[in-house]
Each structure stands twice: as structure tokens, then as C-alpha cells.
């Protein structure tokens, strides 16, 4: 028989998703010899055998590729047969194959779902997985990714599982967490009335407790979740007390897509994300207004579909089609992932039972949250399913550590041309979150064999993240010039440049709530010309006072009074606005006094703060439960409008005074708040268009990068994107990392890399 040989060059998301074992298995199936190897951006395959077999192999590569992989390009060339005797997985040239083997956790695949219904050893077995699905990052302790380097280590495979694990034709060939009811981890039900160990009894008890409105802490892959019946207002309110969360919406896990469609509007893109192997929470428009206690006052629902066998088992058998699904933690503190901590929820916090198991979570991860904008995904929280998938860059970032910012923290380590973002950590103001942050830096550094030689951090002198950066620098004896402070908004824009591989000057628009400015004031509405080395701040909103500093973020009514005073003068407290009825006149006057005497006042130009002020003035939020509550609610009630308020550009600053005055006059004239919100959104959109066009006229620049938490707002981003595009601009936004501070570490890394390179 005449042999032919092919060289197949594959790029896309094919590393760390079981692609090489898959290629190996298929080559064996078709009796081909050759090899497979990772390269910088994908996988190379060489096969030798009959023409027919080679063709079959290539067809099946495309058709049967692992669920978590994505082939973006497959180039096939004829080669000379070398008469190889076997098929091998070869080590990669750059030596990074171990690192790219660390995959994110993958939602359970359909075949495994079949197994838990049919396969005797896996009937209702919640730990069922295969090479295509299951926990990865959450259970790994070290590389190479082997069972002994995971928290499956203590479970000795039974004979049957071992057969699957060692059989190249089996779907579970080298599936590290492979197990069954005979040999794997097991769940246990613990409540005040005792402990249940039998699997079936655990489940039966769980269903009946949920049905009667109980709140259960459930151990999933990345940590514990609290669940309860979403249609039971009493249960939901009790959950709110446990979590100390008064009105912030909870996510809902729906039984299936049909159930989800009864309550939400979804488009094709949203459906794609809901059903993706990453399985994030996707923010959707509420259709039924049925779960009033879950999302009180909001028109959106954070929806998620089951992603572990356990979720599927519960959702299919419990007779509850929609479950509140939220991270098990108490306000501000990190996600609980240890069994003993979960039991504290039972003892001290009033949760009714804990369903836990005996496999440790090594890397705890919250659920990811995604919003879908017109031009693509907007990641709100990047964690399970995404971490540690790298952002592949156009430049090398080896040994750079970027610690991120203090809010919505995520840090980033550099390996080769890959930026590996940590999972979402939380706000470092909380001591336990800070501990999680420092522990995770150690864990991830160990896991990826990472030693920093360059450290990037925010310029804010009081940030815990910056403080910790200096400590690490000391530990590693990193010289001063390699400790690089990056301005917050410059980092936001640089994160977009890094994602899109842009290495030239752009017009950057960074709108957020808070970021330390080089003049010591709080920035957050920056129009800049910047590249990865430097930025030139061109325009921003005019500074306005934040009475009480940080307190004004939690109590936006302070901002409303400050801006009302600025627009209307001293008798503003006598105005009959609705929000003022909730705030004693004395308190309002004290704010004015504080401003006049410059006592306890910081100055901000944060666009997010302007949203806060409008939300307070329009009586939407005077006390904020979380940062961004006011803006989110404003977006929620927004009604499409043709009108806008003028925000004139005076001496390089956009003045909000006319806007504030007009908003208040509109309110007094009885214009509905939804209409005012529409006009306000248009005003911000217009301001961005004016700023960008001005800079473009001066400089001839054509590329625009938008970043910062304000761009989570769908109305703002969709409209600006579309309008700038129509004007001929090339517009770039964050798609792989959050545009909020959760993505800032990537930007810090990109700037530090360029600056450090220039030092050489
Ligand atoms: Zn599977
Ligand atoms: Zn077994
Ligand atoms: Fe920010």
C-alpha cells in the first residue's frame, strides 16, 4: 500500500482542552502514524497512512473536536512520508505544553449526561466526567496535569475506571478526574437534624427541603453556592438576610433553555453563551416579571443553565424549574470553598443544610458573568470557565506580574506571549479577600512555575494591591526601575490595546467611577491620546466635589446635593424634589457647609459618579448597596429618547452644570424619570462623540479604544460604538477581559512590558 503524509497546522483554542489526546486517539483509531505537538498559537499534526484514512482523520478532526476547543484555522499540506512507526504526542518546542495543559473547568458534556442515566456505575453520579468535560483548574495543585497533581489524588481508581483511563479508544482515556460510584468522591448531607451519606437519600432530602423553601449550601466545582426556590419569596428574602444583601439581584439557574425562555428574552448570541462550555451567568431581559424578590426593581435577570452533573440531577428531579443560584459568601467576603467554613453557614448564619463532598477545591472560583452587547460579549466577572485561559498577546510578557486594582481585583501573570488572568478575587478592602489575593498569587505562581522579574501596579498610594506589589518586589529583589506604576485609566485603555494587538497611538476613552489621577484627584472620564508607553490626557469632565470622600460613593444623595448646590445655589435644600423628602434639610445644609469650607471633600471627575448623582437626583438610589447600583438602575429604566442635555467643553473640561440644571428642571416639570434617563444617556453618548471627534481632528487618529466600568452599560456602548463606526472610526472594546477594574491587570502588564523593553 502506498503511504501518503500530511502536515496539519491548526490554530485556535486548541490547547488545554484535551486536544492532543483527542488527536492521538483518532490517529490510533484510523491506524495512522505520526505525531502531534503544541506550538505558540495552536497544534501541529503530522500523519502518515493511506489517502483514504488520512482524509477520514481530517474530517473527524473538524467534526468531533473536543467541546471546549475551537478550530479557527486548519491548514493541510502534503508532506513526504518518513515511515514513522507509531503515533506520538511530542513535547512542544518552546516547552510550554505543561502550562497550556491547564484548562478551565468545562461544563458537563452530553455523553456524560447520558452516562448518569444509563451507565450502571454512574447512575446519578454527580462526579461523572470525561476528557471533554469536568473540573480542571479548580482541582489542580501542580503541573504536569496528572491525577496525582489534583485533589483526585486520594481516590484510587477502581478496576473499571482504570480500564477506561488506560484505553486509548475510550472517552475517558487520560481523563484525570475519572471516577465512579465505587471509587470516586461522594456527597454528604448535613443539617441540624443529622447527616445523610446515601447518595439517593441525600438527593431525596434535598428535593423535599427545597420544595418547602429551605436554603441549601451546595458544593460545586469552584466552591459553594447557596440555592433556594426562586419562586418562593419567603425563601428568597431569608437568603437575602443570610447574605446581607438587600436588593441586589441574584442569579437564577433554570432547568433548561425552554424554562428560561418563559421568563426572559434571548437572542442567538445570548443562547450561545448560555449553552457554551464556560457556562457563565448571562444577563438577559426579564420577560415574565415573575421573580419579583430575586430582582426587585430591575428589568433584567442573570440566568445560568446547569453546568455540573449535580446541577442537572437537581434541576431534573426536584420539580423546581428555577433556582436562586448565588455564591456562598456573606457581603464583601470571598466565596466559601472549604467544608468547615460552609458548616459555619449552617451553625451561625441560618442556612438550613449543607450538601458537601470530600474532594477539595484547590482554586476557588465564582461563576462568571457575561452581558452581550451588539458587537460581542462584555465580561462583567471573569472566573469559572474562563480562568486560566490566557489572553494571547502579540508581545512577550514572560515573568511580568500585574497586580491589578483594589476593586473587583484580578491579577495577571505573564508566560511567553500569554497573559494569564487570575479568577475574580473581589474587593481587597475586605481582609479575607486580601488574603485570598495574596494566597492566589502564591498558588498560581507555583502552578505556572512563575517568578516575577517585573511588577506592575496601580499608582494609587493607598491600594492594598500596590502595597503587596512592593512586598513581592522585595521578596524577589526586583530593582526599583522594574517596579512600574501604571495610571489607572491608561491601564484600562492599554487592556484594549493588548487584547486587540494594537501597537500604535489611539484615542482612548476611559470612563469609570474611581481611579487615582496624577494630580492626586480622582479621575474617571478621561479622553486621552495613548499607546502602550504613554498617555496624554486631553479632556475630562470638570471636577466636582465628593462630600465625605468615599462616603459619597455609598451615599449618592451627597453628590446630588453637591451638584444641585453648584447648579442652583444655596437654597437648593428648599427644592421640592422627591429624593429630598428622604434626606433631612439639615443634612443637606451640612453638605453645603462642608463644600464651602472645603472640609472632608475630595474632587472627582469620574463619569460613574455623574451617573450616581443623576440616580440620586431622580430618586432612584440615594443609598447604594453596591458600587454601580445607581447607574445600573438608570440603565434599567431608560427609555429611548431623541433629546439630550448639553455638556459643553470649556477649557479642556466638560461641564456638567447645564446637564444637572436641566435634569432638575425636567423633574420639576414632571417629565418621567425613564425619559430623563434616556436624555441623560444620550448626553453621555454625545459627550464622547464630541471628545473623540475633537481629538481626531487635531491628530488625525482613527482608532478609538473604549474601556472602564461605564462601558458595561449596553445603551452607552452600543450607541457609541455604532455612531463612531458610522463616522469611519475603528472602534475597540474589551471582549476577553472585563472593561471594569477586573481587566485592568492586563493593561498594567501591557504598559509595563513596553516600558521595561525600552529600558533595555
Ligand atoms: Zn464528558
Ligand atoms: Zn470507579
Ligand atoms: Fe477603573
Amino acid at each position: 500500500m502506498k503511504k501518503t503524509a500530511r502536515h496539519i497546522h491548526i490554530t485556535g483554542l486548541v490547547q488545554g482542552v484535551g486536544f492532543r489526546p483527542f488527536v492521538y486517539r483518532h490517529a490510533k483509531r484510523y491506524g495512522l502514524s505520526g505525531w502531534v505537538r503544541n506550538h505558540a498559537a495552536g497544534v501541529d499534526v503530522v500523519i502518515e497512512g493511506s489517502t483514504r484514512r488520512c482524509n477520514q482523520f481530517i474530517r473527524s478532526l473538524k467534526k468531533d473536536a473536543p467541546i471546549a476547543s475551537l478550530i479557527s484555522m486548519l491548514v493541510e499540506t502534503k508532506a513526504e512520508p518518513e515511515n514513522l512507526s507509531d503515533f506520538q504526542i511530542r513535547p512542544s518546542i518552546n516547552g510550554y505544553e505543561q502550562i497550556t495543559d491547564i484548562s478551565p473547568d468545562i461544563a458537563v458534556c452530553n455523553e456524560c449526561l447520558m452516562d448518569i442515566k444509563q451507565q450502571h456505575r454512574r447512575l446519578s453520579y454527580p462526579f461523572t466526567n470525561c476528557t471533554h468535560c469536568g473540573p480542571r483548574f479548580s482541582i489542580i495543585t501542580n503541573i504536569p496535569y496528572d491525577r496525582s497533581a489534583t485533589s483526585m489524588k486520594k481516590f484510587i481508581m477502581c478496576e473499571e475506571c482504570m480500564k477506561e483511563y488506560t484505553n486509548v479508544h475510550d472517552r475517558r482515556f487520560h481523563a484525570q478526574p475519572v471516577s465512579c460510584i465505587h471509587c470516586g468522591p461522594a456527597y454528604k448531607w448535613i443539617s441540624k437534624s443529622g447527616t445523610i451519606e446515601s447518595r439517593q437519600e441525600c438527593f431525596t432530602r434535598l428535593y423535599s427541603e427545597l420544595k418547602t423553601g429551605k436554603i441549601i449550601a451546595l458544593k460545586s466545582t469552584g466552591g459553594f453556592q447557596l440555592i433556594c426556590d426562586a419562586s418562593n419569596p419567603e425563601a428568597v428574602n431569608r437568603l437575602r438576610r443570610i447574605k446581607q444583601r438587600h436588593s441586589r439581584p441574584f442569579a437564577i439557574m433554570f432547568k433548561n433553555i425552554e424554562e428560561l425562555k418563559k421568563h426572559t428574552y434571548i437572542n442567538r448570541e445570548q443562547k450561545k453563551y448560555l449553552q457554551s462550555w464556560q457556562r457563565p451567568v448571562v444577563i438577559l431581559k426579564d420577560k415574565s416579571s415573575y421573580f419579583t424578590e430575586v430582582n426587585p426593581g430591575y428589568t433584567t435577570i442573570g440566568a445560568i443553565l446547569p453546568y455540573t452533573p449535580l446541577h442537572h440531577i437537581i434541576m431534573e428531579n426536584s420539580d423546581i424549574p428555577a433556582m436562586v443560584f448565588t455564591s456562598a459568601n456573606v457581603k464583601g467576603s470571598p466565596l466559601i470553598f472549604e467544608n468547615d467554613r460552609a458548616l459555619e453557614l449552617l451553625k451561625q448564619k441560618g442556612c438550613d443544610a449543607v450538601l458537601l463532598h470530600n474532594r477539595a477545591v484547590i482554586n476557588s472560583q465564582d461563576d462568571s458573568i457575561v452581558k452581550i452587547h451588539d458587537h460581542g460579549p462584555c465580561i462583567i466577572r471573569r472566573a469559572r470557565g474562563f480562568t486560566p485561559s490566557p489572553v494571547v498577546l502579540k508581545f512577550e510578557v514572560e515573568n511580568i506580574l500585574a497586580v491589578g486594582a483594589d476593586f473587583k481585583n484580578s491579577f495577571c501573570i505573564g508566560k511567553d506571549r500569554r497573559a494569564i488572568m487570575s479568577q475574580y478575587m473581589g474587593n481587597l478592602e475586605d481582609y479575607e479577600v486580601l488574603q485570598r489575593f495574596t494566597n492566589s498569587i502564591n498558588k498560581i505562581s507555583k502552578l505556572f512555575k512563575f517568578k516575577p522579574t517585573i511588577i506592575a501596579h496601580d499608582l494609587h498610594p493607598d491600594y492594598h494591591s500596590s502595597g503587596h506589589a512592593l512586598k513581592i518586589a522585595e521578596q524577589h529583589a526586583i530593582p526599583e526601575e522594574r517596579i512600574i506604576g501604571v495610571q489607572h485609566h491608561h491601564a484600562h485603555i492599554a487592556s484594549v490595546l493588548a487584547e486587540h494587538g494594537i501597537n500604535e497611538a489611539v484615542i482612548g476613552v476611559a470612563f469609570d467611577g474611581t481611579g487615582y489621577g496624577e494630580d492626586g484627584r480622582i479621575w474617571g472620564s478621561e479622553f486621552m491620546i495613548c499607546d502602550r508607553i504613554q498617555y496624554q490626557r486631553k479632556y475630562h469632565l470638570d471636577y466636582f466635589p465628593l462630600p465625605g470622600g468615599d462616603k459619597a460613593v455609598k451615599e449618592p444623595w451627597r453628590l446630588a446635593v453637591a451638584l444641585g448646590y453648584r447648579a442652583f445655589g444655596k437654597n437648593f435644600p428648599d427644592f421640592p424634589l422627591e429624593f429630598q423628602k428622604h434626606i433631612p434639610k439639615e443634612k443637606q445644609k451640612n453638605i453645603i457647609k462642608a463644600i464651602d469650607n472645603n472640609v472632608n471633600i475630595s474632587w472627582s471627575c469620574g463619569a460613574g459618579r455623574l451617573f450616581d448623582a443623576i440616580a440620586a437626583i431622580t430618586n432612584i438610589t440615594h443609598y447604594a448597596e453596591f458600587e454601580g447600583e445607581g447607574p445600573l438602575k438608570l440603565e434599567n429604566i431608560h427609555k429611548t429618547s431623541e433629546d439630550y442635555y448639553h455638556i459643553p467643553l470649556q477649557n479642556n473640561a466638560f461641564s456638567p452644570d447645564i446637564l444637572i440644571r436641566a435634569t432638575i428642571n425636567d423633574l420639576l416639570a414632571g417629565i418621567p424619570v425613564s425619559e430623563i434617563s434616556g436624555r441623560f444617556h444620550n448626553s453621555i453618548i454625545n459627550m464622547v462623540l464630541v471628545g473623540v471627534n475633537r481629538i481626531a481632528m487635531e491628530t488625525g487618529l482613527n482608532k478609538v479604544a473604549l474601556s472602564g466600568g461605564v462601558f458595561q452599560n449596553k445603551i452607552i456602548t452600543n450607541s457609541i460604538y455604532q455612531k463612531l463606526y458610522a463616522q469611519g472610526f475603528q472602534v475597540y472594546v474589551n471582549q476577553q477581559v472585563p472593561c471594569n477594574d477586573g481587566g485592568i491587570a492586563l493593561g498594567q502588564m501591557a504598559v509595563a512590558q513596553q516600558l521595561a523593553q525600552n529600558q533595555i
Side-chain angles (χ1 to χ4, degrees):
M1 181 194 70
K2 196 178 170 306
K3 259 191 174 184
T4 56
R6 307 277 176 82
H7 183 187
I8 308 159
H9 185 80
I10 304 166
T11 52
L13 195 68
V14 287
Q15 296 182 352
V17 288
F19 202 82
R20 285 175 306 156
F22 155 78
V23 170
Y24 179 83
R25 250 190 354 259
H26 275 247
K28 290 277 183 185
R29 173 182 295 171
Y30 293 105
L32 301 169
S33 53
W35 50 264
V36 55
R37 174 167 74 192
N38 274 351
H39 62 78
V43 166
D44 275 331
V45 185
V46 165
I47 43 167
E48 292 186 9
S50 74
T51 309
R52 190 170 64 92
R53 290 288 172 134
C54 285
N55 288 341
Q56 282 174 333
F57 170 85
I58 290 166
R59 267 200 304 276
S60 88
L61 264 195
K62 295 180 198 162
K63 197 164 84 27
D64 305 323
I67 180 173
S69 68
L70 185 77
I71 297 176
S72 49
M73 210 172 65
L74 188 152
V75 182
E76 180 196 334
T77 44
K78 285 221 163 83
E80 265 315 300
E82 292 174 48
N83 287 317
L84 299 165
S85 58
D86 201 2
F87 196 91
Q88 293 174 334
I89 297 181
R90 287 194 177 171
S92 76
I93 302 163
N94 61 14
Y96 280 112
E97 72 279 352
Q98 295 186 337
I99 282 148
T100 53
D101 267 353
I102 306 177
S103 155
D105 292 354
I106 302 169
V108 58
C109 74
N110 289 332
E111 285 162 300
C112 284
L113 284 178
M114 294 294 277
D115 287 345
I116 62 173
K117 285 182 179 157
Q118 295 169 355
Q119 201 182 18
H120 198 66
R121 286 159 48 234
R122 295 202 169 89
L123 284 179
S124 290
Y125 182 59
F127 298 91
T128 304
N129 68 86
C130 70
T131 30
H132 299 164
C133 75
R136 298 286 187 274
F137 179 60
S138 59
I139 57 166
I140 190 168
T141 53
N142 210 340
I143 48 172
Y145 174 57
D146 251 330
R147 190 167 173 113
S148 61
T150 69
S151 51
M152 285 301 290
K153 185 181 172 184
K154 66 175 186 180
F155 303 97
I156 309 298
M157 271 183 246
C158 70
E159 223 170 279
E160 292 290 301
C161 284
M162 187 53 103
K163 260 191 219 156
E164 295 169 322
Y165 183 82
T166 48
N167 175 6
V168 71
H169 299 296
D170 196 282
R171 214 173 81 243
R172 298 198 164 89
F173 173 62
H174 278 201
Q176 304 304 344
V178 69
S179 63
C180 72
I181 50 174
H182 301 307
C183 64
Y187 271 97
K188 198 191 266 186
W189 170 274
I190 302 177
S191 70
K192 284 185 182 133
S193 57
T195 302
I196 302 174
E197 305 217 359
S198 135
R199 196 173 67 264
Q200 276 317 329
E201 275 175 49
C202 276
F203 289 148
T204 319
R205 184 66 179 273
L206 173 66
Y207 308 147
S208 69
E209 296 285 76
L210 284 169
K211 204 64 199 161
T212 55
K214 297 291 187 334
I215 292 159
I216 318 294
L218 188 80
K219 193 173 184 178
S220 282
T221 35
F224 280 85
Q225 277 110 18
L226 290 166
I227 61 168
C228 72
D229 183 353
S231 64
N232 182 332
E234 231 171 88
V236 177
N237 282 324
R238 210 153 59 79
L239 178 57
R240 289 202 174 279
R241 284 197 293 279
I242 292 175
K243 286 213 28 154
Q244 293 170 32
R245 182 154 155 170
H246 305 296
S247 63
R248 191 177 192 171
F250 288 125
I252 297 180
M253 178 174 275
F254 289 96
K255 181 178 174 181
N256 50 35
I257 199 94
E258 288 73 34
E259 203 56 50
L260 182 143
K261 279 181 179 168
K262 287 184 196 163
H263 299 285
T264 61
Y265 297 99
I266 61 168
N267 61 29
R268 205 191 310 157
E269 199 60 13
Q270 289 162 333
K271 189 174 168 192
K272 193 180 100 187
Y273 274 86
L274 280 163
Q275 296 181 320
S276 69
W277 61 270
Q278 288 96 340
R279 214 55 64 93
V281 171
V282 180
I283 308 290
L284 303 171
K285 199 159 169 27
D286 193 345
K287 187 202 267 179
S288 65
S289 305
Y290 178 68
F291 305 102
T292 45
E293 306 299 323
V294 179
N295 59 348
Y298 292 84
T299 55
T300 51
I301 289 183
I304 185 167
L305 291 172
Y307 60 84
T308 66
L310 177 72
H311 300 148
H312 282 274
I313 294 167
I314 298 175
M315 297 310 288
E316 268 173 35
N317 298 295
S318 70
D319 191 29
I320 298 175
M323 204 86 77
V324 169
F325 191 79
T326 182
S327 305
N329 68 339
V330 175
K331 195 179 182 180
S333 62
L335 170 71
I336 291 171
F337 65 98
E338 310 95 327
N339 287 351
D340 49 343
R341 294 298 304 273
L343 291 172
E344 283 172 24
L345 280 173
L346 185 65
K347 285 187 197 118
Q348 295 156 15
K349 303 284 180 204
C351 149
D352 298 304
V354 181
L355 187 63
L356 51 74
H357 59 67
N358 53 346
R359 181 176 71 196
V361 173
I362 306 296
N363 298 297
S364 65
Q365 300 167 83
D366 295 84
D367 291 296
S368 297
I369 306 176
V370 176
K371 227 172 154 180
I372 310 297
H373 288 176
D374 285 354
H375 46 269
C378 167
I379 301 181
I380 307 283
R381 187 202 278 164
R382 193 178 186 275
R384 180 189 49 77
F386 293 91
T387 318
S389 283
V391 178
V392 179
L393 303 170
K394 284 209 172 144
F395 44 90
E396 189 163 317
V397 286
E398 185 73 30
N399 297 339
I400 304 179
L401 168 68
V403 292
D406 268 20
F407 299 104
K408 301 188 169 73
N409 179 275
S410 172
F411 61 87
C412 188
I413 63 166
K415 275 292 197 189
D416 188 26
R417 291 184 166 206
R418 300 178 173 89
I420 298 165
M421 297 286 290
S422 78
Q423 68 273 44
Y424 163 88
M425 292 288 142
N427 292 347
L428 304 186
E429 276 180 337
D430 180 273
Y431 179 68
E432 284 186 61
V433 176
L434 186 59
Q435 278 184 318
R436 182 190 193 192
F437 163 79
T438 55
N439 290 340
S440 298
I441 290 183
N442 292 340
K443 270 191 206 175
I444 289 180
S445 299
K446 185 180 151 227
L447 189 54
F448 288 93
K449 312 262 182 262
F450 173 83
K451 269 206 179 67
T453 54
I454 296 170
I455 295 198
H457 63 87
D458 196 276
L459 284 182
H460 201 305
D462 300 330
Y463 267 1
H464 297 286
S465 51
S466 306
H468 192 66
L470 298 182
K471 267 191 218 157
I472 299 176
E474 210 180 294
Q475 280 163 19
H476 291 270
I478 296 172
E480 214 169 289
E481 68 274 11
R482 301 254 138 172
I483 308 168
I484 298 170
V486 183
Q487 200 280 325
H488 189 96
H489 304 95
H490 185 202
H492 269 308
I493 299 303
S495 73
V496 179
L497 302 186
E499 263 194 46
H500 295 275
I502 300 169
N503 205 5
E504 61 190 278
V506 299
I507 302 170
V509 183
F511 274 24
D512 65 0
T514 300
Y516 185 79
E518 300 216 39
D519 57 1
R521 291 182 166 191
I522 302 165
W523 293 4
S525 53
E526 311 317 305
F527 289 85
M528 47 175 92
I529 303 168
C530 74
D531 53 26
R532 286 204 286 116
I533 304 176
Q534 56 192 352
Y535 71 95
Q536 187 193 351
R537 189 185 190 212
K538 294 293 284 182
Y539 316 122
H540 53 89
L541 267 172
D542 202 2
Y543 289 107
F544 45 85
L546 291 186
D550 281 346
K551 230 177 171 181
V553 180
K554 295 186 174 105
E555 301 181 10
W557 67 266
R558 290 165 176 269
L559 270 164
V561 175
L563 286 166
Y565 167 48
R566 200 166 130 137
F568 287 99
K570 271 209 164 20
N571 58 358
F572 181 68
D574 298 324
F575 273 41
L577 293 175
E578 205 49 45
F579 95 88
Q580 291 172 302
K581 293 179 188 161
H582 303 277
I583 313 292
K585 220 175 254 185
E586 234 5 76
K587 267 183 140 179
Q588 297 186 48
K589 285 185 176 159
N590 285 342
I591 295 292
I592 292 175
K593 239 185 257 162
I595 294 171
D596 284 346
N597 300 322
N598 201 11
V599 177
N600 205 3
I601 299 288
S602 7
W603 291 87
S604 166
C605 65
R609 293 290 92 83
L610 190 59
F611 278 77
D612 277 345
I614 298 294
I617 289 171
T618 50
N619 197 34
I620 292 172
T621 305
H622 359 97
Y623 288 90
E625 189 183 338
F626 56 96
E627 207 207 344
E629 179 180 350
L632 192 59
K633 285 188 167 162
L634 262 185
E635 180 186 356
N636 253 266
I637 59 151
H638 149 282
K639 195 174 136 240
T640 310
S641 169
E642 292 300 312
D643 295 325
Y644 67 93
Y645 307 120
H646 193 42
I647 310 180
L649 181 59
Q650 297 161 344
N651 305 324
N652 299 336
F654 285 94
S655 166
D657 291 340
I658 295 176
L659 163 101
I660 297 291
R661 216 172 292 141
T663 305
I664 292 174
N665 284 335
D666 273 359
L667 270 175
L668 294 172
I671 307 279
V673 173
S674 56
E675 168 68 25
I676 292 178
S677 170
R679 293 178 186 181
F680 171 70
H681 277 84
N682 290 346
S683 318
I684 299 291
I685 293 161
N686 259 321
M687 176 172 87
V688 172
L689 294 179
V690 169
V692 167
N693 275 288
R694 276 277 190 114
I695 298 179
M697 236 148 47
E698 277 175 39
T699 60
L701 291 173
N702 178 251
K703 289 187 162 77
V704 183
L706 311 171
S707 190
V710 168
F711 292 103
Q712 293 171 122
N713 183 310
K714 202 170 175 169
I715 298 147
I716 298 276
T717 309
N718 282 350
S719 177
I720 291 174
Y721 193 100
Q722 185 210 330
K723 287 185 168 148
L724 285 175
Y725 185 78
Q727 290 176 348
F729 288 100
Q730 283 174 273
V731 190
Y732 300 90
V733 292
N734 293 108
Q735 293 187 319
Q736 298 184 63
V737 300
C739 64
N740 62 43
D741 286 4
I744 217 160
L746 178 65
Q748 292 174 345
M749 176 173 281
V751 173
Q753 184 274 341
Q754 186 86 76
L755 286 174
Q757 196 182 51
N758 288 3
Q759 286 171 7
I760 299 165

